[in-house]
Amino acid sequence: MEQQTNSSSEESLHRKKYFPWGRAVLLPAGILAALCAVLYVGGMIYFQDKFLPNTTINGTDASGCTVEEIEARLAKNAEKYHIELAERGGEREYIDAADIDYHYVSRNEVELFKVEQGAFEWPVSFFKTYDYSFDSSTAYDPEKLKEVLLNLKCMQDMEAPEDARIEFKGGTYQLIREKEGDLIDFERLEYIIKKVIQAGAAGVSLEAQGCYAEPNVTSEDPYLKNLYQNLKHYTDTRVEYTFGDESEILDGNTIKEWLTADEEGNVTVDQEAVAQYVAELAARHDTYNKTKEFKATDGTYIQVSGGSFGWMIDQAAEIENLNNDLKNSQQEIRDPAYAQTALSFDNCGMGDSYVEVDLTKQHLWMYVDGRLLLDTDFVSGDIAKNHATPAGIYTIYYKKSPDVLKSDTPGDSYETPVNYWMPFNGGIGFHDATWRGSFGGSIYQNGGSHGCINMPLDQAALMYENIYAGFPVVCFYR
């Protein structure tokens, strides 16, 4: 019995000796647990009507704030609200809350956010975030807004946009770019600003939101670009026709009247108009087979008609040339295409080398390079026998020395040798007439030739030495 007691005493003593920390550990842990419990409960009580840490509402820090406090902040922020309007051209205008009676109106959004947060989770809130947002619970006066918008500077003296267009200026077509203007679509502006207010946004670009009226047609319009390029291609053509010292210019001012366009902007040239232009050009400048005004040696002016001499435009060839010029948008100085040419554009096309034959005075003058080489009387075609020498302007065909002039006409045949033969009008020409004893006067009226110009031998020789094929001859009666 005594032995058992001793044994129990020893065991107890052993526990006390080797496990004295047991009570010391259990006691602080309990206290800590109690403190944590108190702290947790205290936090729950504290956050019962307050938002948890790291909470934002519409960008406002709501941590530790009550619903009332946050709504008060939102109301204060609403009073400071304003909208910045970025306008075309870099201008800025502002609409303030007071201008439109803008104010905060609670619709319980903040309270509902608070309900979503459980106060029991407050300890973990330090390690996460709560970000809430809602469309602005605000109100404003729509009539005041309309009045403010109508009185904006950008709504005054607006300039309407202008469509891109093609204009004829400076002899050709030009593409006039569109103008944006600054005309505002008020209905669109009002709609956009209301959207901005609804979202609580602080600014808006009127241009980005399509508040400005835009041109209906821009310079990038495919039809307009194609039409412009085609019109300009033709009207850039410039042809300067030369007629001696005179010239005529064909350019876009005339060409534009020849052009028509289809619905795709393709352009065609009126060929009848081209032909008409060339015909009018010929009418103004052709001298072939037309009456010409010739200044005689005595200074008088004689109307000369007839003959085979003069300028004549080849209209078919010139139409083709002109169409090629238009096709290639050519700019050039050139002569028109001619079917027949003269030697000059001066002095009825004869220049300063020619023979002047006055059939009334029965006298002729020969000029070479403007210098009088010879002047002599002659005998021309017999008037009484219907052999009158025709008036007109001609050119020498050729010259031959000697030659024999022949005619097989019944009742009027002949074979006459001459020293110098220079034809210019069919079988009519200049030649010497050694059988004649005199020249000039009125011989031609009853004793004239068969149409030729009979000349003294020495004068015919002088003419022969200086004349050549193509040399002009003008014959006229007064």
Side-chain angles (χ1 to χ4, degrees):
M1 189 69 162
E2 183 180 350
Q3 187 176 6
Q4 289 179 349
T5 300
N6 290 340
S7 176
S8 296
S9 299
E10 290 177 359
E11 182 178 353
S12 175
L13 179 62
H14 178 76
R15 286 198 301 268
K16 289 179 181 180
K17 182 178 181 180
Y18 294 102
F19 301 99
W21 48 267
R23 290 181 182 177
V25 170
L26 292 174
L27 181 60
I31 294 172
L32 180 61
L35 289 174
C36 288
V38 171
L39 181 61
Y40 176 72
V41 172
M44 287 181 60
I45 295 171
Y46 177 80
F47 288 110
Q48 190 67 34
D49 62 347
K50 298 178 180 65
F51 285 100
L52 297 176
N54 298 320
T55 299
T56 58
I57 299 175
N58 279 7
T60 299
D61 185 7
S63 303
C65 296
T66 64
V67 171
E68 292 75 12
E69 290 172 333
I70 292 303
E71 289 192 334
R73 286 188 189 179
L74 293 173
K76 192 68 176 178
N77 290 341
E79 294 176 3
K80 300 176 182 178
Y81 178 69
H82 73 277
I83 307 170
E84 180 183 72
L85 280 63
E87 300 166 1
R88 182 171 282 173
E91 296 295 324
R92 295 285 189 274
E93 291 194 70
Y94 301 88
I95 299 175
D96 294 325
D99 297 334
I100 58 175
D101 193 17
Y102 179 88
H103 59 279
Y104 175 74
V105 177
S106 175
R107 294 184 176 86
N108 297 323
E109 294 95 336
V110 177
E111 186 174 351
L112 290 174
F113 292 151
K114 181 64 190 75
V115 171
E116 288 182 19
Q117 287 189 343
F120 62 86
E121 62 176 297
W122 71 265
V124 299
S125 66
F126 293 98
F127 307 101
K128 60 186 295 188
T129 58
Y130 304 86
D131 189 10
Y132 300 104
S133 63
F134 61 95
D135 288 341
S136 181
S137 294
T138 55
Y140 64 91
D141 187 331
E143 292 303 317
K144 286 188 175 182
L145 174 63
K146 178 174 290 189
E147 183 179 355
V148 168
L149 293 178
L150 287 171
N151 285 286
L152 289 171
K153 289 181 180 179
C154 64
M155 288 295 298
Q156 316 308 315
D157 300 322
M158 294 181 289
E159 183 179 351
E162 294 182 10
D163 289 346
R165 63 193 185 281
I166 299 171
E167 287 187 2
F168 187 82
K169 289 183 177 180
T172 189
Y173 281 98
Q174 297 183 13
L175 179 61
I176 309 301
R177 295 183 62 84
E178 67 278 5
K179 287 185 179 179
E180 291 182 326
D182 57 7
L183 179 64
I184 291 177
D185 180 342
F186 183 78
E187 290 185 1
R188 175 68 179 172
L189 173 66
E190 187 178 29
Y191 170 79
I192 291 298
I193 298 303
K194 286 181 177 180
K195 286 289 187 182
V196 169
I197 293 173
Q198 183 180 355
V204 61
S205 167
L206 301 190
E207 188 154 20
Q209 292 299 323
C211 293
Y212 289 96
E214 299 293 344
N216 295 316
V217 181
T218 72
S219 54
E220 295 303 313
D221 180 80
Y223 167 79
L224 191 69
K225 287 177 69 175
N226 189 43
L227 177 61
Y228 163 67
Q229 291 168 357
N230 290 330
L231 288 172
K232 182 174 173 59
H233 175 83
Y234 287 115
T235 55
D236 276 351
T237 302
R238 186 182 188 278
V239 180
E240 182 175 347
Y241 290 103
T242 56
F243 303 94
D245 294 334
E246 298 181 3
S247 64
E248 284 203 33
I249 295 175
L250 171 67
D251 58 18
N253 292 293
T254 300
I255 296 169
K256 69 182 176 67
E257 304 297 335
W258 304 349
L259 307 178
T260 56
D262 63 19
E263 59 186 12
E264 295 180 355
N266 300 314
V267 174
T268 56
V269 179
D270 184 346
Q271 290 302 305
E272 290 186 5
V274 174
Q276 180 65 27
Y277 175 81
V278 173
E280 291 173 357
L281 198 68
R284 288 192 296 272
H285 296 282
D286 279 3
T287 59
Y288 176 79
N289 202 30
K290 288 186 177 181
T291 298
K292 306 169 187 65
E293 188 173 68
F294 171 71
K295 184 178 181 181
T297 296
D298 63 5
T300 59
Y301 286 90
I302 309 297
Q303 298 297 315
V304 181
S305 59
S308 58
F309 184 78
W311 297 95
M312 182 170 65
I313 292 176
D314 186 334
Q315 295 189 35
E318 183 51 35
I319 289 171
E320 183 177 354
N321 290 345
L322 184 49
N323 276 316
N324 286 330
D325 289 339
L326 292 167
K327 179 181 179 181
N328 298 313
S329 195
Q330 191 72 34
Q331 297 189 6
E332 61 181 350
I333 301 174
R334 65 174 178 82
D335 297 335
Y338 284 108
Q340 179 172 309
T341 61
L343 297 178
S344 170
F345 288 92
D346 300 322
N347 194 27
C348 299
M350 297 184 297
D352 56 5
S353 294
Y354 59 95
V355 179
E356 176 185 344
V357 181
D358 188 332
L359 295 167
T360 301
K361 291 185 177 182
Q362 294 288 285
H363 196 89
L364 67 78
W365 298 262
M366 181 177 183
Y367 293 90
V368 177
D369 297 330
R371 180 177 62 88
L372 180 61
L373 180 68
L374 69 86
D375 68 301
T376 182
D377 287 337
F378 62 82
V379 176
S380 62
D382 194 313
I383 297 293
K385 294 180 181 179
N386 253 348
H387 292 316
T389 304
I393 301 178
Y394 310 92
T395 55
I396 297 295
Y397 299 155
Y398 61 90
K399 62 181 181 178
K400 186 177 180 182
S401 178
D403 200 4
V404 177
L405 307 182
K406 297 179 181 180
S407 173
D408 298 326
T409 303
D412 194 19
S413 62
Y414 60 85
E415 185 172 324
T416 305
V418 296
N419 293 286
Y420 307 103
W421 171 234
M422 296 159 279
F424 60 81
N425 179 13
I428 297 173
F430 299 105
H431 62 79
D432 57 289
T434 54
W435 58 89
R436 289 190 181 276
S438 62
F439 297 89
S442 59
I443 300 171
Y444 76 103
Q445 293 181 0
N446 292 286
S449 69
H450 287 82
C452 288
I453 305 298
N454 294 177
M455 299 175 61
L457 178 62
D458 61 336
Q459 298 300 303
L462 181 58
M463 177 181 284
Y464 188 89
E465 290 174 5
N466 292 277
I467 211 162
Y468 48 81
F471 201 93
V473 177
V474 54
C475 302
F476 59 88
Y477 292 92
R478 292 179 180 273

